[in-house]
Amino acid sequence: MPKVLIVEDDAAMATALGDGFAYEGYDVVLTRDGEAGLKAAREGAPDVIVLDVMMPKLSGLDVCKRLRSEGSSVPIIMLTARGQEIDKVLGLKLGADDYVTKPFGFMELMARVEALLRRTAGGARHAEVYGFGDVVVDFKKAELKKSGTPIEVTARELKLLEYFIAHRGEVVPRERLLDQVWEYDSAPLTRTVDMHVAKLRKKIEDNPAD
């Protein structure tokens, strides 16, 4: 599972973020000041860092600057307060990958984190060819075979299957699939996910009714 380091001095905010990421299947590390956050980033090898700007001991800007000066390429999302436009600009100049302005919705932050993980080496690289049971799928060639017989699948079904494989062992909410596979900013019809999953199951499972 991906590891997220949350560096946030506000106890309530830190707990809420930690609980949210844990629920989404992340390995969570929480620190409450910049010095502890910098140490955890250096020693804990996180896949992504959620970093508040205003913190005791070291600011988020200082933490970001030191990590980048040391050659770290870990994705960093800065948390800034409303009106701190200068902090946003400085954060991006110092090497932050993105920022979110408080107050924010957790799903917005989650979407930005996952987008970063997809774009960077910290995100899981998907295998071009993957097999399970009597199914073999070649994502590069966009081909799927069951018991050696080619099965016609749509591009969306392949993308859905690829996402499930990359997150095997996890329970993935419909809203997350809509965001990651359909890339909707909101979830107009979660039934869309149900229909595509049902069609995919009919193609790859021996008994999709079970």
Side-chain angles (χ1 to χ4, degrees), residues 156 159-160 177-184 192-193 196:
R156 184 78 67 191
K159 191 172 182 181
L160 184 62
L177 288 172
L178 279 167
D179 176 67
Q180 301 300 317
V181 178
W182 277 261
E183 298 180 353
Y184 290 159
T192 300
V193 174
H196 279 78

Side-chain angles (χ1 to χ4, degrees), residues 34-35 38 42 51-53 55-70 78 91 94:
E35 282 187 0
L38 182 60
R42 287 168 171 166
L51 181 61
D52 190 22
V53 170
M55 287 185 301
K57 298 187 179 179
L58 277 179
S59 74
L61 295 174
D62 288 331
V63 173
C64 180
K65 182 179 180 179
R66 293 194 188 188
L67 288 174
R68 293 299 185 243
S69 68
E70 295 168 4
M78 307 289 293
L94 291 173

